[in-house]
Amino acid sequence: MKCLLLLLSLTGLSSAIFVNNAASRCPITVSQAEEVCGALRKRSNHFTAHPTECAAFVQCDGLAQATVTAVPEGTMWDNEVGAAVHLQASSCPQSPCRINHDISDCSTCYGYLTCQNNEVVSAYCPDGQSFSRTESRCVSDPTCRRIAEQETLNSCTPIPNTNAYRRTGLSRGIPYSVDVTCPAATVMNTTSCVCVHSDVCPVVLGDLQNLECKGETTQYSVQGLDTNELTGDFTFTVSGLTISNAASGVVALASNSRFDAPGCDHPTFELVLDTLQRTVTLTAVSVEPKTATISAQISNPSNVNEIRVERRGVTIALYINGNKGGESSVLGAERLASTLCSLDICNSFNRNSLQGQISRVKLVRECRSQ
């Protein structure tokens, strides 16, 4: 059963942090929630490691709420990556091969992770037994019925113009449908419908098509900047841009500066178009921090075939219709800074919103330069 606990501020003020134990089999205490989320209350959708478990993570949101969630089967949380990864890829300190005893999978009464031949593998208690976190073993439990909790996966299909997949199946004989979005640094394994870590490249981090930008906040976004995903080489492309407000001055094409999320008012990646000066300008900020600002001239701001940002090695460059407009090596090899906010298309916190159409926006993590 989910429980909701209230931690009063140590200063005696009315501010509070809530703990919603969505994964009740691997709960956290209020003091642990304060420790992992207390400094992040003003930052939205920050995911961090569970303080004691490998098979769960904690989401800290701008409302000072800590939500515990179990990771998908066959994965463990990796705080360095900021995502659930394959069992063998995780560096979780509480891994059963490190602490020499089994741990709960945090999602079922019977599942646990164990160490075999120095590798972490999933295991299950017999029907009628549950895994005890305190004893690190299976114990008698007539209420734990593995057969009743089994799930059947029917489909795992991408949702058009989003980064999400729709997972459908049967759980305890009841049909269900849930939309799943993979964290940065992971890709969807459509066979199991589980987000897994991938070193494969190139990886498409976002591919949106036929966008209608109406000069207001839109739902078009790419999640690639959420957890510093833009490490190493990448390509960001805006294709088939047609502007209906060509005389409006500076308009946002893409920015991770958000209107509606705390801590997102300072962009670390922003692409803007000045229709009066006939320029496109890219601003990118590294975690060090260093700022690269590069521009490119355009002949007709009302209609542009392609605007492309490329990072290769230590160089980041801006191209208009295939022609290089400018480049910079100021950022060096540093990864781009993150505001923990998605890369919004057509909008920015401090720019006019674009009015017009974009045929395609694509963000790709390229293979690293040799």
Side-chain angles (χ1 to χ4, degrees):
M1 177 181 294
K2 297 180 180 180
C3 61
L4 189 65
L5 302 177
L6 175 64
L7 174 67
L8 296 179
S9 170
L10 296 177
T11 62
L13 301 177
S14 59
S15 61
I17 184 165
F18 292 90
V19 182
N20 180 11
N21 290 324
S24 59
R25 294 181 179 89
C26 292
I28 58 174
T29 66
V30 178
S31 60
Q32 288 172 333
E34 172 68 21
E35 182 178 353
V36 298
C37 291
L40 301 164
R41 296 183 186 182
K42 294 182 179 180
R43 306 181 73 177
S44 65
N45 294 328
H46 178 80
F47 301 94
T48 190
H50 191 290
T52 62
E53 304 294 335
C54 283
F57 62 94
V58 182
Q59 178 180 358
C60 311
D61 65 19
L63 300 177
Q65 177 168 295
T67 304
V68 180
T69 304
V71 300
E73 182 179 358
T75 67
M76 291 195 300
W77 184 261
D78 190 311
N79 220 34
E80 293 181 2
V81 176
V85 302
H86 277 304
L87 290 177
Q88 305 313 316
S90 174
S91 60
C92 179
Q94 293 83 30
S95 166
C97 290
R98 293 190 178 194
I99 60 177
N100 297 319
H101 64 72
D102 299 339
I103 63 173
S104 172
D105 70 357
C106 296
S107 60
T108 64
C109 62
Y110 51 79
Y112 62 97
L113 302 178
T114 187
C115 187
Q116 293 182 2
N117 299 321
N118 205 34
E119 291 189 352
V120 181
V121 297
S122 297
Y124 309 101
C125 296
D127 198 34
Q129 295 185 17
S130 64
F131 182 79
S132 170
R133 291 174 63 245
T134 56
E135 299 182 36
S136 298
R137 65 183 182 89
C138 296
V139 297
S140 177
D141 184 354
T143 66
C144 183
R145 306 290 296 181
R146 180 181 174 189
I147 296 175
E149 292 199 14
Q150 284 184 334
E151 175 186 309
T152 301
L153 175 66
N154 290 338
S155 65
C156 186
T157 56
I159 302 174
N161 286 334
T162 73
N163 296 318
Y165 287 76
R166 182 150 296 151
R167 175 175 178 157
T168 64
L170 295 174
S171 179
R172 300 186 181 184
I174 301 175
Y176 75 89
S177 175
V178 62
D179 294 344
V180 180
T181 300
C182 289
T186 68
V187 293
M188 176 62 73
N189 181 329
T190 55
T191 301
S192 59
C193 213
V194 171
C195 301
V196 297
H197 179 59
S198 176
D199 292 324
V200 176
C201 56
V203 173
V204 178
L205 300 172
D207 190 355
L208 311 177
Q209 300 181 37
N210 301 319
L211 281 64
E212 292 284 341
C213 302
K214 300 180 180 180
E216 56 192 29
T217 301
T218 71
Q219 62 181 358
Y220 304 126
S221 65
V222 175
Q223 303 299 318
L225 284 172
D226 280 6
T227 51
N228 296 326
E229 175 60 29
L230 295 190
T231 303
D233 295 348
F234 66 85
T235 301
F236 178 71
T237 308
V238 177
S239 304
L241 171 64
T242 302
I243 302 178
S244 57
N245 58 340
S248 65
V250 178
V251 294
L253 299 179
S255 175
N256 65 335
S257 176
R258 293 276 300 279
F259 289 94
D260 57 350
C264 298
D265 50 337
H266 300 294
T268 59
F269 185 92
E270 187 171 57
L271 193 64
V272 299
L273 169 64
D274 188 331
T275 59
L276 301 179
Q277 298 297 322
R278 296 178 179 271
T279 60
V280 175
T281 301
L282 166 74
T283 300
V285 183
S286 72
V287 295
E288 201 164 303
K290 297 176 181 177
T291 301
T293 302
I294 53 179
S295 298
Q297 291 292 133
I298 54 176
S299 57
N300 181 9
S302 298
N303 196 314
V304 182
N305 291 334
E306 182 186 82
I307 300 172
R308 186 171 79 252
V309 178
E310 285 189 0
R311 185 175 185 177
R312 298 293 184 269
V314 299
T315 302
I316 189 167
L318 178 63
Y319 295 81
I320 305 296
N321 296 333
N323 299 313
K324 182 185 292 186
E327 67 178 20
S328 173
S329 58
V330 170
L331 303 183
E334 290 289 325
R335 70 179 186 271
L336 295 194
S338 171
T339 63
L340 300 179
C341 298
S342 60
L343 182 63
D344 284 1
I345 311 302
C346 308
N347 301 117
S348 172
F349 179 77
N350 57 351
R351 309 286 186 185
N352 292 327
S353 296
L354 173 69
Q355 294 185 39
Q357 293 80 39
I358 299 176
S359 63
R360 191 172 194 177
V361 173
K362 192 171 184 178
L363 177 61
V364 179
R365 185 182 64 201
E366 306 287 358
C367 298
R368 293 180 181 273
S369 299
Q370 299 300 317

